[in-house]
Amino acid sequence: MIKNYFKIAWRNIWKRKGFSAINIGGLAVGMASALLVLLWVQNEISYDRFHENGDSIYRMYNRDNFNGEPWAWGTTPKILGKTLNQDYPEVENVARISSEEFWLGVGNKKFKAEGYITDTGFLKMFSFPLLKGNISTVLNEPSGIVITENLALKLFGAEEAIGKNITVDQSDVFKVTGVLTDLPNNTQFDFDYLLPWSYMKTRGWDDSYWGNNSVETYVQLNNVASQASFDKRVQNINIDHTKDSGNPSSTEVFSWPLYKLHLYSKSENGQLVDGRIVTVRLFTVVGILILLIACINFMNLSTAQSEKRAREVGIRKVAGAPKRNLIFQFLGESTMIAFVAGVLGLILVQLSLHPFNTLVNKELYIDYSSIQFWLTFLGFMLFTGILAGSYPAFFLSSFKPIKVLKGTMNSSTSILTPRKVLVVLQFSFAIILIICTIIINRQINYAQQRDMGYNKNNLIYTFLEGDIRENYELIKQELLSSGAATAVTKTLSPVTQRYSDSWGFTWKGSTEEDKMLDFIIMSADADFANVMGVELVEGRDINIHDFPSDSTAVLLNETAVDRMRLEDPIGTVITQGDQNKTVVGVIKDFIIESPYDPIEPMMINGPSSWFGVLHIKLNPGNTIAEDLALAKGIFKKYNPEFPFEYHFVDEAYAKKFESVQQTASLAALFAALTVFISCLGLFGLATYIARNRIKEIGIRKVMGAGTLGIVTLLSRNFLKLVLVAFCIASPIAWYAMEKWLQSYSYSIGVEWWVFLAVGFLVILIAMLTVSFQAIKAAIANPVKSLRTE
Amino acid sequence: MIKITELEKYYRTEEVQTIALNKLSFEVKQGEFVAVMGPSGCGKSTLLNILGLLDDPDGGSFIFNGIEVAGFNERKRANLRKHNIGFVFQSFNLIDELTVFENVELPLIYTGVRPADRKARVHEVLEKMQIMHRRKHFPQQLSGGQQQRVAVARAVVNNPKLILADEPTGNLDSSNGNEVMDLLTELNEAGTTIIMVTHSEHDAKFSHRIIRMLDGEKVTENILVNA
């Protein structure tokens, strides 16, 4: 019997090649999209799930109130890990991580790579398997370095890496004690090498200060300890250790499970809720919807062709086929089509994986050797087949044999046929996705056009590495005198990044509450406003050369002045602990962090503070290439050991939009796919209906109907459906976008014209799709169509 | 074999109720060949559908082989139908996507006959209908007469006790029509009961008895002497 079903299914596919192509093609595109989303989601939810001890690993978090709001963050004092290891028996392993980017050198090879300075517990706790070396000893040696396979290949080629020396940061020599397998694509950890914690001491970076939150701390609890009891015990660890000091802390500590880190990391009211999981959920829904839309095509085309299959159903019923046999037959048929489409879809996925990876910035791949993959894929095709075939199967199998055999079955003309509902559903999804895409893009544009408060043109930065620090004045002079630059300044961080923030400041007239006012910290030696092109509103710029006392000078931004309620800010003395700073100038607000957020108070400290970055305003009189060539020569002269590595500020600023841009690109991709699949279905349906009404069209033409009249007649019903879809989709899209925009404090509103434009666009697309068939039917010779009847 | 008593069937639309069968009663004995005649709309086809267990009467009694079947549900009707009744339609109703062999094989599949037995049985019937050489062809590749012979083959392949024929020669020319009528007569002579709806007085003459209907009622019943 099954052979019989196969035969008839295959012959039907072959006989109606056009419909089959639309059916299989649409389903294949839908399945490919769903597979891509599935791959992406699978990757997202599998983050750091591979660690054998994963269930007992936690990252330590802080919680405190800032500007009146509780806030949770994941950098901790270095002393926290040490204390947990010593005083808390339930803690089995501790790993502190200080992320660094060092120059690594072997012979003439020299390049920058990211690595961690970490405790010996790191490799015991996490499952990053060693290819070579002993887990319990590799990080014990103060001059030992553990590198990844990939880095080993880059540094040593095919040679054995163990025992070889690597120069770290120009002068410190480490010996390779272990080689790790490369990190999988589903871990939040990102490093090429591990250095022992003792290196922190060597560099003088280790400290026991409970107020310096600069490293990540991970703990592994033993089998008996519960997270709840551990959290209770550590909650006040910071408060207890600082209560007798001059600077008591109010920061609470809590732990957060490793497997939740990737998806739930957004602090809201001091709790870690949401985060990436929102995007994951969103795209899961989108993936399901696209598959559903493709299945709807299948349902629509199958039921539209029902009259052709009706007779077969009648005959089979007369021959004694029970209903369940027919259901089974049609489900089998749809599953067969889903399998063909699935294989095509898989080929499409393989072809589009590379561009998709670029789009989502991941390294997704299909593990063809995995049985689990094939089982999932098989299940996926079966599911699609049954989903797509379910409605047609029940619809077709319920035909009454006498009616279909006598030809008295009429196609339904009722207002709410399931086929119409399906088309409406399909177009509703498409319209929602298009509206969302447009609004997300407009939001990005809006933020991109926001006045950033500084001039990013011709502005570059480089890190103070090697000899740059000690030769800074010489370099600066030569950059200016050579004409490569018009202004140069040293700062704490790039102008596009917040490296540090601080609180606990007092000033004349400040209250106890003001101590919790958090400032973004920046630093500059001189010429800050000039280099950045930031407007000076009051006072003057910091300038250590003209004003030797400027080492403790401070610039404030307007928001800081406002929040500090300073009426005459210049000359105000700001105190933190035993340090005093004097305000010498006020600058206009500029964006250092998210272009979507309101500006926060900022303090730019004078030369007594630490510097890490050099900003150079290139000379606009030359070409950028000329300026850079000049600069390169100067850096080579004063810092010969290091290549001149620079970053353009405008590029760094553009990076702030990357993540949302990614969402926008994905939304656009999915919207396009949805429209494509929906139109494919609409085209098939229109073809079918035009063919079915061929006699009616013939009669109408004989009676004098014009081409336009016929086209209108055939298109009208489809347009009505699209209009209904528009009415359903608009409020849903409006609600979703309103909610999405609420997460940005600097955002556009939901604009009505977007809806109107999308409405017109979709109607136009639907019109074009339908009218092709309608015109074809309308210009056909009526004599021919009537004769064939 | 068949006994219907005061059989009723109505068709309803929103506003109108049409009586298709109005308290119709008659009996058909095993081995009979009965023709049902009457103008279009008199209820012939409705009667045939009810007799074929494709439709349910609205009132009255229908005894098939000694069992009251009026009120049977679809599953029970299908079960009784596939073992006892074969159909021949005016428009042949062959499945275009199946070959001659596969079309004839269909009823055997649904009665659960094993593949080897199916093949033997289908070949036997095709031989008898003299279309064995056409077994691999699709319906569109055959003439009308050949198609109807395939349909008859399909109707008899299960050895049904009853064959219901709905204007079996309606779409055929006279020589093809006569061939089909000869086939039916042969089957009847071999013991199969046949009830045939027809407009053709010529065809009706092949039967033993003619029931004439008008407006859902039996008008006359002639027993043909020469039959």
Side-chain angles (χ1 to χ4, degrees):
Chain A
M1 187 161 359
I2 288 175
K3 200 174 130 200
N4 185 284
Y5 292 161
F6 261 116
K7 249 187 247 167
I8 203 151
W10 174 246
R11 286 175 193 163
N12 265 313
I13 290 174
W14 196 244
K15 196 169 160 191
R16 298 190 249 285
K17 293 185 198 74
F19 281 112
S20 304
I22 290 177
N23 241 343
I24 295 176
L27 211 51
V29 173
M31 287 173 91
S33 319
L35 273 175
L36 281 178
V37 175
L38 204 69
L39 270 178
W40 183 83
V41 169
Q42 201 272 338
N43 174 267
E44 286 287 326
I45 60 174
S46 68
Y47 259 66
D48 286 307
R49 292 268 185 177
F50 57 87
H51 301 286
E52 270 169 47
N53 305 319
D55 287 343
S56 52
I57 301 176
Y58 300 87
R59 179 172 171 180
M60 302 310 296
Y61 270 78
N62 290 324
R63 184 186 293 127
D64 210 333
N65 287 307
F66 294 101
N67 310 335
E69 271 185 33
W71 180 253
W73 74 101
T75 47
T76 65
K78 297 170 195 103
I79 183 79
L80 175 70
K82 196 175 168 189
T83 311
L84 289 173
N85 203 16
Q86 281 169 358
D87 302 345
Y88 291 77
E90 64 266 51
V91 173
E92 205 159 287
N93 278 307
V94 168
R96 291 167 290 178
I97 294 173
S98 179
S99 304
E100 308 293 343
E101 196 181 14
F102 287 130
W103 284 95
L104 302 183
V106 170
N108 291 331
K109 281 184 202 159
K110 194 171 276 182
F111 52 83
K112 253 185 180 177
E114 287 183 30
Y116 291 166
I117 304 178
T118 188
D119 290 295
T120 49
F122 185 86
L123 287 175
K124 292 178 192 159
M125 193 186 289
F126 299 111
S127 303
F128 295 116
L130 275 171
L131 284 174
K132 284 163 196 162
N134 183 341
I135 275 205
S136 44
T137 58
V138 281
L139 283 173
N140 284 355
E141 288 179 42
S143 62
I145 182 171
V146 178
I147 59 177
T148 61
E149 214 180 340
N150 187 28
L151 183 63
L153 195 72
K154 259 164 119 181
L155 287 172
F156 305 108
E159 284 176 45
E160 171 67 58
I162 296 282
K164 296 253 165 59
N165 287 342
I166 299 175
T167 314
V168 174
D169 208 20
Q170 202 177 14
S171 54
D172 300 317
V173 178
F174 283 83
K175 193 164 81 183
V176 178
T177 53
V179 177
L180 290 167
T181 51
D182 287 329
L183 306 189
N185 67 354
N186 55 351
T187 178
Q188 51 153 343
F189 297 102
D190 184 15
F191 60 90
D192 292 317
Y193 55 89
L194 300 172
L195 294 166
W197 188 258
S198 54
Y199 190 50
M200 291 289 281
K201 291 181 186 130
T202 313
R203 296 294 295 249
W205 294 345
D206 199 9
D207 64 63
S208 307
Y209 177 43
W210 281 92
N212 180 8
N213 296 304
S214 55
V215 296
E216 293 172 26
T217 304
Y218 292 87
V219 295
Q220 181 192 345
L221 300 183
N222 64 22
N223 296 335
V224 272
S226 75
Q227 189 199 2
S229 64
F230 175 66
D231 272 2
K232 221 175 203 170
R233 270 163 53 76
V234 294
Q235 186 179 355
N236 291 329
I237 187 168
N238 198 331
I239 296 169
D240 289 345
H241 279 86
T242 54
K243 64 182 174 207
D244 300 326
S245 72
N247 195 7
S249 159
S250 57
T251 302
E252 290 179 355
V253 172
F254 67 98
S255 64
W256 192 242
L258 174 70
Y259 65 84
K260 279 191 170 179
L261 273 179
H262 179 66
L263 296 175
Y264 301 87
S265 56
K266 191 177 161 199
S267 167
E268 224 177 274
N269 263 328
Q271 305 291 327
L272 295 174
V273 288
D274 293 354
R276 208 148 168 87
I277 188 74
V278 178
T279 318
V280 171
R281 281 191 200 124
L282 190 74
F283 282 115
T284 308
V285 171
V286 169
I288 292 172
L289 287 187
I290 292 188
L291 186 63
L292 201 63
I293 287 175
C295 288
I296 287 176
N297 266 1
F298 184 92
M299 295 178 194
N300 272 339
L301 292 177
S302 306
T303 53
Q305 291 183 73
S306 59
E307 278 117 271
K308 288 204 171 153
R309 297 301 295 273
R311 213 161 57 91
E312 181 195 333
V313 172
I315 296 167
R316 283 183 185 274
K317 280 199 167 179
V318 168
K323 192 173 171 180
R324 62 161 195 283
N325 269 37
L326 291 168
I327 292 177
F328 182 73
Q329 179 192 342
F330 288 116
L331 281 181
E333 224 167 86
S334 60
T335 309
M336 190 170 132
I337 289 179
F339 269 66
V340 177
V343 172
L344 272 177
L346 192 60
I347 295 171
L348 281 179
V349 168
Q350 192 54 51
L351 291 177
S352 56
L353 208 50
H354 182 67
F356 184 72
N357 272 333
T358 316
L359 190 70
V360 297
N361 196 19
K362 275 188 187 287
E363 285 165 34
L364 304 175
Y365 63 93
I366 297 174
D367 183 4
Y368 290 106
S369 63
S370 145
I371 293 178
Q372 203 197 343
F373 163 74
W374 287 110
L375 285 178
T376 314
F377 183 58
L378 218 64
F380 176 67
M381 291 192 292
L382 204 63
F383 171 78
T384 310
I386 290 173
L387 180 70
S390 55
Y391 172 63
F394 284 96
F395 178 76
L396 289 169
S397 64
S398 63
F399 285 156
K400 291 266 173 285
I402 16 165
K403 281 193 182 166
V404 293
L405 293 180
K406 274 283 169 194
T408 53
M409 194 187 68
N410 292 324
S411 32
S412 176
T413 49
S414 83
I415 299 169
L416 212 68
T417 63
R419 208 179 303 154
K420 287 181 185 167
V421 174
L422 292 177
V423 170
V424 167
L425 208 64
Q426 226 176 7
F427 272 86
S428 301
F429 295 150
I431 292 169
I432 290 174
L433 279 175
I434 299 175
I435 291 176
C436 292
T437 307
I438 293 179
I439 292 181
I440 293 173
N441 272 307
R442 284 189 48 75
Q443 164 69 4
I444 295 173
N445 282 343
Y446 181 65
Q448 273 171 342
Q449 277 160 20
R450 181 180 177 188
D451 179 16
M452 55 205 287
Y454 63 92
N455 183 0
K456 62 185 187 319
N457 296 332
N458 288 317
L459 189 58
I460 63 167
Y461 66 84
T462 178
F463 293 98
L464 295 175
E465 291 161 329
D467 300 333
I468 298 178
R469 214 175 278 274
E470 71 190 52
N471 293 328
Y472 168 67
E473 288 302 334
L474 292 167
I475 292 172
K476 179 174 177 172
Q477 280 319 313
E478 214 157 307
L479 280 170
L480 293 172
S481 62
S482 70
T486 55
V488 177
T489 185
K490 270 195 301 191
T491 56
L492 172 72
S493 67
V495 67
T496 51
Q497 276 179 64
R498 168 215 294 243
Y499 271 15
S500 171
D501 50 337
S502 194
W503 62 95
F505 297 101
T506 55
W507 57 92
K508 198 179 167 194
S510 70
T511 63
E512 195 55 32
E513 262 177 31
D514 286 333
K515 281 190 178 168
M516 290 315 286
L517 184 62
D518 189 43
F519 289 80
I520 297 174
I521 301 297
M522 191 57 170
S523 68
D525 66 328
D527 254 359
F528 182 84
N530 199 8
V531 171
M532 305 298 175
V534 179
E535 195 182 325
L536 208 56
V537 184
E538 241 180 282
R540 59 170 176 83
D541 204 348
I542 296 170
N543 190 343
I544 190 72
H545 310 295
D546 297 347
F547 303 90
S549 65
D550 265 7
S551 66
T552 57
V554 148
L555 290 177
L556 295 176
N557 70 355
E558 284 177 306
T559 301
V561 172
D562 187 48
R563 298 290 272 280
M564 291 165 79
R565 302 176 305 281
L566 299 177
E567 283 184 5
D568 185 16
I570 306 300
T572 304
V573 176
I574 302 172
T575 308
Q576 185 191 35
D578 52 5
Q579 285 183 327
N580 289 331
K581 310 159 195 240
T582 310
V583 179
V584 297
V586 176
I587 54 164
K588 242 186 141 60
D589 286 341
F590 70 88
I591 302 169
I592 187 165
E593 284 220 297
S594 165
Y596 306 104
D597 288 342
I599 307 271
E600 288 177 55
M602 183 192 282
M603 194 179 278
I604 299 168
N605 291 321
S608 69
S609 51
W610 193 81
F611 295 102
V613 177
L614 188 67
H615 279 90
I616 303 167
K617 185 76 178 176
L618 298 174
N619 186 354
N622 305 329
T623 65
I624 288 179
E626 285 166 351
D627 284 338
L628 288 174
L630 282 171
K632 194 177 172 184
I634 297 163
F635 278 92
K636 182 121 191 98
K637 181 171 157 195
Y638 291 105
N639 189 29
E641 293 296 317
F642 289 84
F644 175 50
E645 213 194 40
Y646 54 89
H647 307 268
F648 286 98
V649 169
D650 52 0
E651 280 172 13
Y653 189 77
K655 279 213 167 74
K656 293 182 186 297
F657 297 94
E658 248 172 28
S659 138
V660 194
Q661 195 87 59
Q662 216 180 72
T663 312
S665 308
L666 277 176
L669 174 72
F670 290 141
L673 282 172
T674 312
V675 173
F676 172 72
I677 300 172
S678 303
C679 283
L680 208 58
L682 199 60
F683 181 78
L685 216 51
T687 312
Y688 188 77
I689 285 178
R691 211 175 282 173
N692 251 17
R693 294 175 78 174
I694 197 154
K695 188 178 169 191
E696 177 197 341
I697 294 165
I699 296 171
R700 281 177 189 271
K701 282 194 85 169
V702 171
M703 299 297 152
T707 306
L708 189 67
I710 301 283
V711 172
T712 316
L713 176 82
L714 289 175
S715 314
R716 201 171 46 198
N717 283 334
F718 286 111
L719 292 186
K720 268 190 216 156
L721 297 183
V722 176
L723 274 176
V724 173
F726 177 72
C727 294
I728 293 173
S730 296
I732 298 174
W734 185 83
Y735 174 78
M737 281 295 97
E738 188 74 14
K739 267 206 102 145
W740 183 74
L741 288 172
Q742 270 172 17
S743 62
Y744 298 98
S745 44
Y746 185 81
S747 67
I748 54 166
V750 177
E751 298 142 306
W752 61 269
W753 66 262
V754 172
F755 291 75
L756 214 63
V758 171
F760 274 120
L761 178 76
V762 173
I763 286 173
L764 190 72
I765 294 174
M767 255 305 247
L768 286 175
T769 311
V770 174
S771 60
F772 176 75
Q773 286 301 333
I775 291 170
K776 209 170 112 183
I779 57 177
N781 185 349
V783 176
K784 212 171 166 185
S785 62
L786 288 178
R787 199 168 45 209
T788 53
E789 260 304 306
Chain B
M1 181 178 198
I2 287 172
K3 187 179 182 196
I4 56 170
T5 318
E6 304 211 325
L7 206 63
E8 289 178 311
K9 181 73 186 176
Y10 313 110
Y11 289 113
R12 292 177 193 89
T13 58
E14 278 162 25
E15 286 146 23
V16 197
Q17 176 170 298
T18 320
I19 301 174
L21 294 179
N22 190 7
K23 295 190 187 299
L24 185 68
S25 305
F26 66 82
E27 207 172 329
V28 176
K29 293 206 165 55
Q30 178 125 23
E32 263 197 290
F33 188 159
V34 177
V36 179
M37 297 191 73
S40 290
C42 72
K44 305 185 296 283
S45 293
T46 307
L47 173 67
L48 210 61
N49 289 332
I50 292 174
L51 294 179
L53 297 166
L54 291 170
D55 208 352
D56 212 16
D58 291 323
S61 152
F62 173 16
I63 291 171
F64 185 87
N65 262 351
I67 310 161
E68 175 61 68
V69 294
F72 262 30
N73 63 19
E74 160 114 29
R75 199 173 51 81
K76 275 183 169 172
R77 286 210 305 261
N79 209 28
L80 202 62
R81 186 166 68 222
K82 69 181 172 191
H83 288 107
N84 294 291
I85 305 172
F87 290 86
V88 180
F89 302 92
Q90 175 181 1
S91 52
F92 324 134
N93 278 333
L94 299 173
I95 298 180
D96 294 340
E97 287 76 19
L98 295 181
T99 61
V100 166
F101 180 93
E102 288 159 356
N103 264 294
V104 176
E105 187 192 23
L106 209 58
L108 297 174
I109 291 176
Y110 290 119
T111 42
V113 178
R114 287 186 306 131
D117 297 345
R118 286 207 301 257
K119 192 174 172 186
R121 178 68 190 140
V122 173
H123 281 181
E124 188 188 321
V125 177
L126 290 178
E127 293 275 14
K128 206 163 145 191
M129 300 291 157
Q130 295 168 359
I131 38 170
M132 186 60 180
H133 59 296
R134 294 287 205 175
R135 66 183 183 281
K136 287 182 180 163
H137 288 73
F138 287 94
Q140 298 97 315
Q141 298 168 311
L142 306 180
S143 71
Q146 285 171 326
Q147 287 194 41
Q148 193 59 302
R149 264 191 282 165
V150 177
V152 174
R154 187 180 59 188
V156 300
V157 73
N158 247 346
N159 283 326
K161 295 185 182 72
L162 172 68
I163 286 183
L164 297 173
D166 193 353
E167 299 195 32
T169 62
N171 282 8
L172 300 176
D173 59 32
S174 62
S175 80
N176 274 317
N178 280 338
E179 261 182 52
V180 170
M181 286 317 297
D182 288 339
L183 268 178
L184 290 177
T185 310
E186 269 174 48
L187 287 170
N188 178 244
E189 281 164 359
T192 313
T193 312
I194 295 179
I195 300 176
M196 173 179 74
V197 164
T198 184
H199 274 124
S200 154
E201 292 288 347
H202 172 77
D203 287 359
K205 284 188 185 132
F206 285 83
S207 69
H208 305 156
R209 182 153 61 107
I210 302 176
I211 295 172
R212 288 182 197 275
M213 289 177 67
L214 185 67
D215 296 340
E217 294 176 40
K218 185 171 79 181
V219 201
T220 58
E221 195 170 336
N222 323 30
I223 295 171
L224 301 180
V225 193
N226 61 340

